[in-house]
């Protein structure tokens, strides 16, 4: 099934828009084929400001109305305590909030951007999507990441080459309590790396230190500015380590 066929079945949809390329492409296609579409961005402690700004720019580009839904994720002990399946409880909270807002706006079909390249078997958050009946058209229509990026570029979507960006909570190891203070330190540290031109990286908590994961191609640039960058990061962490595995 192609996306056009999917949207012919569902002419009025609500789309969860994270600011990334997958949900952006899905929103673009929904605007093309649907009679009515509205985007929903969830603002919580786990979303950095630039994601909201990108979501707002995308909706302006597509001419789609955007609703920002405020969620206090850390009010839930099951999320705050950061168990291995934290993402399940977080997704439940997020999509329950979106669903309520969308239903108030008259939308009964809620979509999100999981694609055919995503491994869903070990993702607790996917279970929450299934429980709430959230549809994933890109996965259902067999759109993989490569195809999405290619067609998004052809469509002039400015986030077509934006690196995948997991929420800030993923920077904190399972079992360690998530606090607003920790999340703020991570966001400020990552903003510092963005300011130096790095594009695909993570600043992960390692006890009291920052464990940096940087794309292999960008490591030489990091090493050239190591002292300057490290000095900036030490404003937020006791120490700084470079993870040579450069995994995500």
């Amino acid at each position: 099934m192609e996306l056009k066929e999917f949207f012919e079945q569902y002419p009025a949809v609500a789309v969860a828009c994270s600011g990334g390329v997958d949900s952006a492409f899905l929103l673009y296609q929904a605007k093309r084929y649907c009679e009515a579409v509205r985007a929903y961005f969830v603002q919580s402690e786990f979303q950095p400001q630039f994601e909201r700004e990108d979501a707002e720019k995308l909706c302006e580009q597509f001419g789609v109305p955007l609703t920002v839904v405020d969620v206090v994720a850390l009010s839930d002990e099951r999320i705050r305590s950061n168990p291995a399946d934290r993402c399940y409880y977080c997704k439940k909270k997020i999509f329950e909030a979106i669903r309520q807002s969308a239903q108030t706006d008259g939308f009964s079909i809620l979509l999100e951007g999981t694609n055919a390249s995503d491994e869903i078997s070990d993702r607790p958050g996917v279970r929450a999507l299934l429980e709430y009946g959230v549809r994933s058209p890109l996965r259902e229509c067999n759109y993989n990441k490569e195809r999405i990026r290619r067609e998004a570029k052809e469509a002039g979507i400015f986030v077509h080459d934006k690196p995948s960006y997991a929420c800030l909570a993923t920077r904190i190891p399972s079992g360690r309590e998530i606090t607003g203070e920790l999340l703020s330190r991570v966001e400020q540290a990552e903003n510092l790396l963005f300011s130096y031109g790095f594009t695909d990286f993570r600043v992960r908590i390692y006890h009291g230190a920052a464990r940096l994961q940087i794309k292999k191609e960008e490591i030489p640039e990091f090493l050239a500015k190591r002292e300057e960058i490290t000095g900036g990061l030490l404003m937020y962490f006791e120490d700084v380590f470079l993870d040579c595995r450069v995994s995500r």
Side-chain angles (χ1 to χ4, degrees):
M1 180 168 59
E2 290 295 320
L3 284 173
K4 183 176 184 295
E5 299 175 74
F6 178 92
F7 288 120
E8 285 174 349
Q9 299 177 46
Y10 305 104
V13 298
V15 180
C17 181
S18 67
V21 62
D22 297 329
S23 63
F25 182 71
L26 177 62
L27 186 62
Y28 167 78
Q29 295 291 356
K31 176 62 176 177
R32 287 182 67 193
Y33 297 120
C34 289
E35 297 173 9
V37 57
R38 189 175 190 93
Y40 295 82
F41 177 86
V42 170
Q43 183 68 68
S44 79
E45 306 94 318
F46 298 166
Q47 276 66 48
Q49 180 61 27
F50 75 85
E51 294 280 52
R52 175 171 176 169
E53 293 171 357
D54 283 351
E56 290 172 341
K57 291 176 185 176
L58 287 164
C59 289
E60 182 178 357
Q61 178 183 359
F62 302 153
V64 173
L66 172 67
T67 296
V68 176
V69 181
D70 291 313
V71 170
V72 183
L74 296 182
S75 65
D76 191 325
E77 169 61 24
R78 297 170 300 179
I79 299 173
R80 190 170 63 250
S81 62
N82 199 17
D85 59 350
R86 178 208 69 246
C87 191
Y88 168 72
Y89 298 109
C90 191
K91 289 290 188 185
K92 283 190 68 172
K93 194 173 186 70
I94 286 173
F95 278 93
E96 174 61 22
I98 296 177
R99 185 174 68 170
Q100 290 181 4
S101 184
Q103 288 178 343
T104 299
D105 294 332
F107 294 95
S108 60
I109 303 298
L110 177 55
L111 313 179
E112 64 85 48
T114 300
N115 67 65
S117 298
D118 292 326
E119 176 55 59
I120 65 173
S121 62
D122 61 347
R123 293 175 59 181
V126 173
R127 180 159 52 99
L129 302 181
L130 296 175
E131 290 178 5
Y132 279 112
V134 180
R135 301 292 296 272
S136 306
L138 299 178
R139 181 171 59 82
E140 294 177 34
C141 297
N142 202 33
Y143 274 68
N144 62 25
K145 195 76 169 190
E146 181 181 1
R147 181 180 181 184
I148 291 167
R149 289 197 184 280
R150 182 179 69 251
E151 295 191 14
K153 181 178 181 180
E154 293 170 355
I157 300 173
F158 74 91
V159 294
H160 68 87
D161 59 350
K162 181 179 178 179
S164 298
Y165 190 87
C167 82
L168 292 172
T170 63
R171 313 300 194 269
I172 302 172
S174 294
R176 178 166 181 176
E177 182 180 14
I178 301 173
T179 66
E181 185 267 340
L182 270 181
L183 294 170
S184 177
R185 284 162 55 194
V186 169
E187 182 172 8
Q188 291 179 82
E190 293 198 346
N191 284 341
L192 177 67
L193 287 174
F194 278 125
S195 73
Y196 279 95
F198 297 98
T199 59
D200 192 1
F201 60 85
R202 301 286 187 270
V203 177
R204 299 194 185 277
I205 300 291
Y206 181 75
H207 301 288
R211 178 165 63 93
L212 308 185
Q213 295 178 328
I214 298 175
K215 190 167 63 173
K216 180 172 63 175
E217 294 81 0
E218 294 185 332
I219 287 180
E221 183 178 355
F222 170 81
L223 293 176
K225 302 175 181 177
R226 177 178 59 84
E227 292 187 8
E228 183 179 352
I229 295 172
T230 300
L233 292 173
L234 287 174
M235 296 173 58
Y236 311 110
F237 298 97
E238 297 173 6
D239 210 342
V240 179
F241 301 97
L242 179 62
D243 187 343
C244 293
R245 295 174 300 175
V246 296
S247 61
R248 288 292 178 265

